[in-house]
Amino acid sequence: MGLVEWIVRLVLSPGVFAPVIFPGLLTALAVLLIVIWAERKIAARVQMRVGPLYVTRHFGGVLQMLADGTRYMFQEFIVPETADKVPYMLAPALALTLAIAPFALIPSAPGFAPVKSPYSLPALLAILASTPLSVLLMGWSSNNKFSIQGAVREAFMTLAYEVPLFLSALSMAILYGSMDLEEIVGRQFLPGALLNPVAAFTFFVAMVMSSGRLPFDIVEGEQEIVAGPYVEYTGIVFGIGMGLAYLKLYALSLLYSLLFLSGWEPLPRALYSVYPGLAGVWLFAKAFTLMLFVVFLRSVYGRYRLDQALRAGWRVYLVLAVVSILLSCLLRVVVNV
Amino acid sequence: MSSYVKNFGGHVRAVLTGLKYLVKPNRITVYYPEYYVEPPEGYRGMIKYYPEKCIQCGLCAMICPAGAMKMYVKKGEKKGRPGVNYQRCIFCGFCVDICPQDALEMTKVHDVAFSSLEELVFPPEKLAVEVQSPALLRGAVKVKPVFDEERGLRHE
């Protein structure tokens, strides 16, 4: 009996519950399956089509992605003879680890953060900024002209989006006078998007760039370079490569909700009194709606060219990020949040 | 600077248009195995063969531009009878046009999809049997394309 109690307490402790259940692994997996299906379905609706349908006909084909994933599971995993074997096998594992790690820093309710640190915002951004390295490693070790092209594009794109992303996130830290995500949510009497709309817009665009969704689908570039850095991967590792961008998008959407959409407020008191981990319902709902909007953009836009994306990143969004920092300083002086 | 503002307005308009179609989708897909679009009169579908009219002249096999028609000669006979290989057939209707006895005709069935390549080869005996659309046999609902002022193409 003591053992069962100990296991239950271990699972319900914030250090395990947050990375493993919500907002971590299990929720991320469910979100991944549903969002990819939703992307296909939304694009189909806008383009006069139907989209995936015949897997679970009555629910509009929700289990389509699960069926695809199962198929990936049973496919042969081929290692090309010319590939550099060790990094080729290591890079996907590293990429997945780096994509999952940010969830250990995201608080889902007041007083319920797995890692309580006064620097959780820059730490989260730093982990997210290191994912392109593993993608670069994937492309390089595959020893294929398409994949190396994709890897170099990833490096270019990183230069385009990383600086505006950081600056617009840190401008919010200046505005609230704290780098702790929990405190940041606590100090939002208004949603941050209303206080500093410039930072909200810049962060949103940098987020879309960072997760490689259309209109900045440049790294994968289906029509030009097949699948970019993931071109030599087969089976479940290809599925992981596909899911990486969505995991990144999920982490960034959660961060966006915390910074600009006042996180878990209004706090559901009843759920919070039952168990604090359940109080992140609003946070999840906001992040998921945001993700749906980002994948909806696929049906509106075409793909930007690499030079256009770089020009936009440096000439427009960097300037906007600097403006957002100035705006934050001004608000801090005038309003003194 | 003004061009950036104009571009922003254009982006907003594009997203709003997309949202409009997301809320009010304009689907033109026909759920094929459940619904069956009725082909118009004179549609050139699969070929039906009437062996009792045929005089075994072989003109259909000669004119076939894709080499899909072949004369199958039975043992003990001098002349053959036509059979069609649908892997090659381009549904041009030349064989039907040239037949002096009207022993061949085009039906309205267009479901030329089979689970194996061998099934696509129709010897004369198989060609003489009335072809049926598998979708209709399964009880598909027949629909007709209708031109709509607001939506463009509809099926009902």
Side-chain angles (χ1 to χ4, degrees), chain B residues 75-128:
Chain B
K75 276 212 170 110
E77 286 189 16
K78 280 254 167 93
K79 294 175 173 174
R81 290 179 178 278
V84 178
N85 180 352
Y86 280 114
Q87 295 168 31
R88 295 178 174 183
C89 182
I90 56 169
F91 302 96
C92 59
F94 284 6
C95 48
V96 178
D97 285 347
I98 203 162
C99 185
Q101 293 289 319
D102 283 346
L104 292 167
E105 83 169 2
M106 287 257 170
T107 59
K108 286 211 276 181
V109 179
H110 64 229
D111 316 54
V112 202
F114 296 95
S115 45
S116 71
L117 286 174
E118 288 76 33
E119 282 177 79
L120 282 162
V121 181
F122 278 54
E125 300 79 37
K126 204 173 166 185
L127 202 62

Side-chain angles (χ1 to χ4, degrees), chain A residues 103-164:
Chain A
F103 300 122
L105 294 161
I106 293 174
S108 56
F112 196 79
V115 179
K116 182 87 177 97
S117 145
Y119 303 113
S120 56
L121 171 65
L124 206 156
L125 288 170
I127 294 174
L128 281 169
S130 58
T131 42
L133 290 176
S134 55
V135 177
L136 208 73
L137 193 63
M138 270 192 212
W140 193 6
S141 61
S142 294
N143 196 4
N144 173 316
K145 58 186 173 191
F146 293 120
S147 62
I148 193 71
Q149 188 121 21
V152 172
R153 284 181 180 201
E154 172 75 43
F156 267 121
M157 286 301 290
T158 309
L159 293 176
Y161 65 74
E162 212 66 66
V163 178

